[in-house]
Amino acid sequence: MTTAKQMTKNAKVVALLKRKQGATLNDLTKATGRLPHTARAALTGLRKKGHSIERTRLDGVSRYSIAAGD
């Protein structure tokens, strides 16, 4: 019997941020089940670990992504 390795919540966040279009706060909360303030805290944690998180606004909605080369 083989089982797929489950992704941690932080791994899910990183995967979403690496997408070409990045991720909205709503994307992050749906994928992880976290509340918005906890999802934003996860972004801060990733910054402290050395990831370069970029924030852009499109039509009044913030999109987050990991900077190219990170």
Side-chain angles (χ1 to χ4, degrees), residues 11 16 20 39-40 60 66:
L16 288 171
K20 181 180 177 182
R40 283 189 294 271
I66 290 182

Side-chain angles (χ1 to χ4, degrees), residues 43-53 66-67 69-70:
L43 295 174
T44 300
L46 290 173
R47 283 186 185 105
K48 288 182 179 182
K49 289 181 179 179
H51 292 281
S52 181
I53 309 293
I66 290 182
D70 193 14

Side-chain angles (χ1 to χ4, degrees), residues 5-58:
K5 185 177 178 183
Q6 260 191 322
M7 289 182 74
T8 64
K9 289 182 180 183
N10 280 344
K12 288 179 184 178
V13 170
V14 170
L16 288 171
L17 296 176
K18 286 185 176 182
R19 298 184 308 179
K20 181 180 177 182
Q21 72 272 22
T24 64
L25 185 60
N26 193 37
D27 294 337
L28 298 174
T29 58
K30 282 183 181 180
T32 61
R34 292 176 169 161
L35 295 173
H37 67 277
T38 310
R40 283 189 294 271
L43 295 174
T44 300
L46 290 173
R47 283 186 185 105
K48 288 182 179 182
K49 289 181 179 179
H51 292 281
S52 181
I53 309 293
E54 293 180 343
R55 177 178 167 236
T56 57
R57 292 185 64 86
L58 181 63

